[in-house]
């Protein structure tokens, strides 16, 4: 019975995970810095650093 | 009811999306994937790809290679500055250097033959811009890049510098003749 | 004690310190636009072959100053104003730590003065990119660093304001979409500025002799995380401005909060990877890295832009149809307020950014197609479509909206204002299109003389290239006239416009808040959620914005055609491997 009322009651409905992510500015800030840092900057620096020395 | 107020629903993630947007997103996604796969496709089936072969080098080391090639294959000189013109054999390693404000030396290549073209800069960044075919590459000091080129039309070609390199940048030209 | 005033016309609440900061940043931005615009005129008049105004040394100095002043100073000052607006005003919240925000503003001003001084002293004509090892004066780099630190403080003040608003429960539910767009811009800005610090601080130390060598290739990789991402801040912010203007003028609601926010999430995750666009012909970087990064991880950020391209005009169309403009596909658009510069500016910005800037950007950012475009004048053509027609025109449209609301002045010269977006957008579109066309003929960017005077070898671009550069010159002059009209109208309105508020004197226009009596120490009422529609969701009834869908398909077809035309061009150059 308790179940029925809580699922019917819209305001207390659980917020979906995706909305929780999008509503969390600091999580987004972390993602928005971590992703390009790893894929663009770190990977890119590794690419340049591993260029072999000319024979 | 507007874009600058909080969404009308506390849980807006579950509000169904209209059919129009779904259709557009799917179309756009397909197009994005096509564009993405065009690049690896061209690596396999296309003829114009810049190799990623490159080496760390120094101006002195690179200049020595250029000089060795000039000594071996020089055919004549051009202009009042006596810039050497080099005709290396097909398939060989050809060394071109960029410096303030010159592409050095000039090259004579044979049509439909392939050459391993090395390019490096002695000082600052330069831009290799071959006209009128319009092939453009970034030339970075300290790095020697290697591209296999196969000139497929004969004629006189000019190398323009298209990366800003100081006050006389606009006078920095080089030549390649394809016979 | 926090003090707020409510704008009697719009109902927006302004927190006193936030209001002053918005004004100060907007005015500083306008000053930079004035400087940058004059420099731009000198640049375009030099690149117009028949005019060829400046000598070489002055040209490169002016070009360096033009790039930095417009691309960085003007746009980021204005963005700071937008962050404070989206954080404080739209959320009805007090601004967090206004003193820090002022400190940031002062740093930015000092940075501008330092860098511009260095450039105009003549020893720092190194272009915006300042590629090492070409040296600039130490205060050139130092100014950029100070400016960046100031902007970073602004970003954290915005984030702090979000926290304050949440804790003090100034709004219900989630933050508004426009604020979310500003948040996206803020996040990208923080990555941008961090990258700038990573590379400019060592470069500064190098310029004063503490570091002996900076690797030229490494510099390019990290510098472009600054240089390109800074333009992605603009994309996020001007899309937010489009949503804002659609909301203010039409009462348009986002077609779907979920879709629009998810699109912004894609920006946050992937947009910054496109810094790789500049490195596609660089030596030694693998194609794996190039393909992954240049495509924003499978073009997911392009997908996001295409989504915004549908949902912004789509939201307007739905709002217009609800008002009864339902005839045919395009009555909603035909009967839009084309004489209102807020709307026309925003819509030209949208179309110009999508059709000219967006398509060309994706095409030239294709790994192999970059070979026929890298460093040609196609590149400036492209970014004048994105950053000038797109971002700058969006900022202009927003200014027309804010003069009465923020500065409490009536706009002067409404007749001129009506035409200003067309002049500016039209002129700049000509610049963009004809520079791109000249670029496909190989004309170099950052180049004083396309005739190569003084070189004994001799080479001439085709005559068409000269014609195209000449037409671009005409377009540039038109755009400068449009830009001058904008500054005349805005500055003139601040000085001489009719006061909408008894206290709105001259000083009030430039950063001093209005008289105390206008403000109340009472907290504004909590910002409610948008009222729900009678029927929530879109049901299954098919397309609610069919006209927009047609426009979107036109965009897609142009995109596809232009994309493959460029592959065709590429296939005609020498085989390379």
């Amino acid at each position: 019975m308790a179940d029925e009322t809580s699922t019917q009651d819209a305001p207390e409905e659980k917020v979906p995970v995706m909305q929780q992510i999008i509503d969390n500015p600091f999580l987004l800030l972390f993602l928005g810095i971590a992703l390009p840092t790893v894929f663009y900057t770190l990977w890119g620096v590794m690419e340049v650093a591993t260029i072999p020395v000319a024979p | 009811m507007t874009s600058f107020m909080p969404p009308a629903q506390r849980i807006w993630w579950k509000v169904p999306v209209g059919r129009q947007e779904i259709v557009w997103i799917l179309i756009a996604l397909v197009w994005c994937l096509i564009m993405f796969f065009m690049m690896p496709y061209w690596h396999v089936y296309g003829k114009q790809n810049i190799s990623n072969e490159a080496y760390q080098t120094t101006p002195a080391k690179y200049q020595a290679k250029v000089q060795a090639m000039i000594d071996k294959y020089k055919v004549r000189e051009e202009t009042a500055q006596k810039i050497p013109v080099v005709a290396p054999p097909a398939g060989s390693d050809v060394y071109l250097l960029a410096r303030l404000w010159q592409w050095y030396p000039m090259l004579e290549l044979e049509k439909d033959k392939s050459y391993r073209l090395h390019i490096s800069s002695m000082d600052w960044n330069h831009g290799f811009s071959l006209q009128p075919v319009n092939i453009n590459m970034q030339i970075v000091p300290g790095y020697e890049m290697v591209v296999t080129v196969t000139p497929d039309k004969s004629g006189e070609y000019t190398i323009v510098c298209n990366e800003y390199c100081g006050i006389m940048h606009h006078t920095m030209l080089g030549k390649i003749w394809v016979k | 004690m926090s003090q707020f005033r409510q704008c009697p016309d719009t109902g927006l609440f302004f927190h006193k310190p936030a209001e002053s900061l918005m004004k100060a940043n907007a005015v500083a931005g306008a000053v930079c636009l004035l400087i940058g615009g004059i420099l731009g005129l000198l640049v375009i008049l030099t690149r117009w072959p028949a005019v060829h105004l400046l000598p070489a040394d002055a040209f490169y100095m002016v070009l360096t100053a033009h790039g930095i002043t417009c691309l960085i100073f003007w746009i980021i000052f204005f963005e700071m104003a937008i962050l404070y607006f989206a954080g404080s005003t739209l959320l009805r919240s007090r601004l967090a730590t206004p003193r820090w925000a002022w400190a940031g503003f002062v740093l930015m001003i000092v940075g501008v003065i330092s860098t511009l001084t260095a450039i105009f002293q003549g020893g720092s004509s190194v272009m915006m990119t300042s590629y090492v090892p070409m040296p600039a004066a130490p205060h050139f780099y130092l100014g950029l660093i100070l400016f960046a630190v100031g902007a970073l403080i602004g970003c954290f003040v915005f984030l702090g304001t979000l926290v304050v608003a949440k804790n003090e429960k100034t709004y219900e539910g989630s933050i508004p979409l426009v604020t979310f767009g500003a948040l996206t811009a803020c996040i990208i800005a923080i990555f941008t500025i961090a990258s700038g610090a990573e590379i400019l601080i060592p470069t500064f130390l190098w310029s004063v002799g503490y570091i002996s060598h900076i690797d030229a290739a490494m510099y390019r990789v990290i510098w472009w995380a600054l240089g390109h991402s800074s333009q992605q801040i603009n994309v996020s912010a001007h899309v937010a401005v489009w949503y804002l203007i659609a909301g203010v003028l039409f009462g348009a609601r986002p077609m779907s909060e979920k879709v629009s926010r998810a699109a912004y999430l894609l920006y946050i995750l992937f947009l910054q990877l496109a810094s790789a666009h500049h490195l596609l012909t660089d030596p030694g970087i693998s194609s794996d890295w190039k393909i992954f990064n240049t495509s924003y991880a499978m073009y997911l950020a392009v997908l996001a832009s295409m989504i915004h391209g549908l949902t912004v005009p789509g939201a307007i169309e739905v709002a217009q149809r609800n008002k009864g403009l339902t005839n045919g596909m395009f009555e909603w658009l035909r009967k839009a307020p084309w004489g209102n510069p807020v709307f026309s500016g925003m819509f030209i910005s949208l179309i110009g950014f999508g059709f000219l800037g967006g398509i060309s950007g994706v095409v030239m950012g294709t790994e192999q197609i970059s070979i026929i475009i890298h460093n040609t004048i196609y590149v400036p053509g492209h970014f004048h479509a994105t950053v000038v027609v797109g971002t700058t025109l969006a900022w202009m449209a927003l200014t027309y909206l804010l003069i009465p609301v923020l500065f409490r002045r009536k706009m002067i010269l409404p007749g001129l204002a009506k035409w200003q977006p067309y002049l500016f957008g039209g002129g700049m579109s000509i610049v963009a299109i004809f520079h791109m066309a000249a670029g496909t003929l190989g004309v170099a960017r950052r180049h004083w003389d396309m005739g190569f005077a003084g070189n004994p070898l001799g080479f001439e671009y085709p005559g068409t290239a000269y014609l195209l550069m000449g037409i671009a010159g005409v377009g540039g002059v038109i755009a400068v006239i449009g830009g001058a009209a904008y500054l005349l109208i805005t500055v003139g309105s601040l000085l001489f416009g009719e006061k909408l508020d008894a206290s709105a004197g001259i000083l009030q226009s430039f950063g001093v808040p209005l008289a105390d009596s206008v403000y109340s120490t009472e907290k504004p009422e909590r910002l409610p959620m948008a009222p729900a529609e009678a029927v929530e969701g879109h049901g299954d009834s098919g397309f609610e914005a069919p006209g927009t869908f047609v426009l979107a398909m036109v965009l897609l077809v142009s995109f596809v055609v232009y994309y493959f035309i460029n592959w065709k061009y590429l296939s005609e150059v020498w085989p390379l491997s």
Side-chain angles (χ1 to χ4, degrees), chain A residues 8-48:
Chain A
Q8 293 296 314
D9 212 349
E12 293 313 315
E13 202 182 338
K14 200 169 166 296
V15 178
V17 178
M18 277 308 290
Q19 181 173 338
Q20 285 187 24
I21 294 173
I22 290 178
D23 276 349
N24 184 341
F26 292 95
L27 179 62
L28 295 178
L29 174 64
F30 171 76
L31 292 173
I33 293 187
L35 251 85
T37 302
V38 170
F39 287 117
Y40 177 87
T41 312
L42 291 181
W43 184 8
V45 166
M46 289 304 292
E47 289 281 335
V48 174

